Amino acid sequence: MLEQALEVGGGFQQPLNDLLWLRDWATQSGNEIVVYSPYPKTLEILKEFGIEGRLRKFGVLDHVFLFLKYCGPFDLVQIALKLRSPFERALIRDGIDVVHFTSTSKRHLLLYELPFIITIFDGCHRDALEFPEVRTFGEFERREILFRLASTKAAAVIVNAPELIDDLCRRYAMERDRAVCIPFSPSTYVSQSTPEAAADAAVLAKYRLEPSYLFYPAQFWPHKNHMTLLAALANLRERGITERLVLCGSDRGGRNKINAAIRTYGLSDQISIIGFVDSAELGALYRGASALVMPSYFGPTNLPPLEAWAVGTPVIYPEAFKTQAGDAAILFDYDDPRSLADAIVDLRTDGTRERLRTAGQLRLAQFAQETEAGRLQFARHLVRLKHRLALTTR
């Protein structure tokens, strides 16, 4: 299930990476995968990679099943009457043996008969529960239901960092041997993009940008912490330093406050907000930047640093996520604009950019090795699961 929309950004790109690997594994091991998505646009993207996906939207009755599942007692009725959701019935008709959710999908709650594998990117609703996107209107409670059942009922749980395994075991009593750690990989669109001067210049010209800007690709959620970045730019201007900033991403409810802060700080002439950009343009936008600046509160890992390292762009990153960054980023306190301002100044120190480029390449190579090891472990899980399912009649 490739459930995330393209507009989600990294939440779409990482599942796409996983899917491309799974396709190659299935071909080599004699297995078959069927890719479903609720979005026609996603199916068009999959065709670019030679994959024929299937459209699988979720009907009213599926949503009724989900609602009743959240209510709890419905489980007893469903067990007594052996009710299957339309979603699960459709998968069984298609001959599906195992469902692999490439993100933390609520659709696993619709499965009673089919085993599933699920990906959990983070547990940030527990780590930073002060943000409205993980707290209000029952969102926290909904996530707790999803994470508790996902981490204990899944045949395998794919995570991107060892710290997340520890969190899931501590919070939800997940069996540790069911977890598979596969670190993030740079988006295929970025890692395979070719640095061509004319093509890159055309992308920058499209958005009226000049090279050597600070770059932050992130949706406009409060937890992405654009505000600290704006305050840091204002602090720098007080010191006589003017930095240009390029922001891209979809508006998730935080754009109005950001616009207001830009006006308050008087930064309108320093900031370009270019909205959601085509994936194929990201490589050029990274290459045109003097640095990726990412003050997000959510971690412990994120995709943009890997993409920046892939094209040789320096990274400025919260010290809270030092485990991911190692020595390949300038670190700062994400609650302190002055700390971020100092980090931006440090970027201009002689030799710093070259050091960060080299360290970034080494860091990326290390993650590539860990990713390969994680995928081999995942393949072993799949082989064992296939053997066990062959012992069961359906």
Side-chain angles (χ1 to χ4, degrees):
M1 287 298 304
L2 190 57
E3 252 184 277
Q4 299 279 36
L6 173 65
E7 290 74 16
V8 174
F12 173 85
Q13 299 295 342
Q14 187 58 38
L16 178 61
N17 285 343
D18 294 340
L19 171 59
L20 294 176
W21 172 83
L22 189 61
R23 175 198 59 184
D24 295 341
W25 171 83
T27 300
Q28 296 167 8
S29 62
N31 290 283
E32 180 183 1
I33 64 168
V34 179
V35 183
Y36 297 95
S37 175
Y39 302 108
K41 187 175 182 179
T42 297
L43 302 186
E44 292 300 318
I45 293 172
L46 292 177
K47 288 180 181 178
E48 298 175 12
F49 296 93
I51 298 173
E52 289 292 333
R54 300 184 187 180
L55 188 67
R56 175 62 62 199
K57 292 184 177 292
F58 305 103
V60 174
L61 194 54
D62 285 319
H63 289 286
V64 170
F65 267 71
L66 280 174
F67 173 77
L68 294 173
K69 180 73 176 182
Y70 285 129
C71 294
F74 179 63
D75 284 340
L76 300 178
V77 177
Q78 195 165 9
I79 292 169
L81 299 179
K82 296 184 178 179
L83 295 175
R84 297 192 190 99
S85 67
F87 173 64
E88 185 168 36
R89 292 201 305 269
L91 296 180
I92 292 173
R93 285 197 303 270
D94 286 349
I96 301 301
D97 297 305
V98 181
V99 184
H100 178 19
F101 295 102
T102 57
S103 58
T104 313
S105 171
K106 60 188 175 185
R107 312 298 170 189
H108 79 267
L109 299 176
L110 295 171
L111 301 180
Y112 269 78
E113 182 172 341
L114 293 176
F116 66 91
I117 297 164
I118 198 159
T119 300
I120 297 180
F121 290 135
D122 60 59
C124 291
H125 70 289
R126 284 282 198 101
D127 300 330
L129 50 78
E130 60 271 24
F131 293 105
E133 54 265 39
V134 297
R135 188 188 70 248
T136 54
F137 301 110
E139 181 65 18
F140 181 90
E141 289 77 10
R142 185 187 71 83
R143 292 194 183 206
E144 281 295 286
I145 293 171
L146 292 180
F147 278 64
R148 184 178 67 253
L149 285 177
S151 58
T152 55
K153 188 180 178 183
V157 179
I158 311 301
V159 301
N160 57 73
E163 307 96 289
L164 186 52
I165 296 177
D166 294 338
D167 288 344
L168 294 174
C169 290
R170 184 181 73 254
R171 293 168 178 172
Y172 307 110
M174 180 184 73
E175 297 294 338
R176 187 173 291 272
D177 61 1
R178 291 189 185 178
V180 179
C181 185
I182 303 177
F184 283 155
S185 302
S187 163
T188 302
Y189 289 98
V190 174
S191 62
Q192 296 184 7
S193 67
T194 304
E196 298 179 0
D200 285 1
V203 172
L204 267 59
K206 174 182 175 180
Y207 296 107
R208 300 179 181 179
L209 304 177
E210 294 292 333
S212 197
Y213 47 80
L214 301 174
F215 185 44
Y216 186 21
Q219 299 185 77
F220 293 94
W221 292 106
H223 76 263
K224 293 297 185 179
N225 198 19
H226 292 83
M227 293 301 203
T228 293
L229 181 50
L230 299 180
L233 293 185
N235 180 279
L236 287 172
R237 196 179 55 196
E238 292 175 357
R239 307 185 202 181
I241 301 171
T242 300
E243 291 282 355
R244 290 179 296 114
L245 171 66
V246 174
L247 304 175
C248 72
S250 304
D251 184 11
R252 297 290 176 168
R255 178 70 182 271
N256 288 338
K257 287 187 176 180
I258 290 169
N259 289 341
I262 291 172
R263 291 191 297 269
T264 299
Y265 287 125
L267 296 172
S268 299
D269 59 341
Q270 295 175 226
I271 298 176
S272 298
I273 301 180
I274 60 176
F276 183 79
V277 302
D278 189 280
S279 300
E281 298 174 334
L282 278 173
L285 291 170
Y286 274 110
R287 283 188 289 269
S290 60
L292 165 74
V293 182
M294 186 167 192
S296 174
Y297 284 109
F298 280 13
T301 57
N302 288 285
L303 191 58
L306 298 166
E307 295 177 333
W309 292 331
V311 301
T313 298
V315 174
I316 300 175
Y317 201 45
E319 60 189 3
F321 307 140
K322 184 177 180 179
T323 302
Q324 181 187 19
D327 63 350
I330 301 174
L331 303 177
F332 66 95
D333 180 352
Y334 49 26
D335 284 314
D336 183 357
R338 177 175 289 276
S339 174
L340 177 49
D342 291 341
I344 294 171
V345 171
D346 289 345
L347 177 69
R348 311 302 184 185
T349 304
D350 288 345
T352 297
R353 294 174 59 82
E354 291 71 21
R355 175 185 65 80
L356 290 175
R357 284 196 188 97
T358 301
Q361 290 297 317
L362 293 174
R363 197 70 176 147
L364 203 59
Q366 178 183 343
F367 280 125
Q369 292 178 349
E370 294 176 7
T371 295
E372 182 63 23
R375 285 174 171 170
L376 289 174
Q377 182 187 358
F378 184 32
R380 290 192 292 269
H381 269 274
L382 292 172
V383 170
R384 292 192 187 102
L385 186 56
K386 180 181 179 181
H387 173 73
R388 294 178 185 185
L389 291 176
L391 305 176
T392 309
T393 57
R394 193 174 68 196

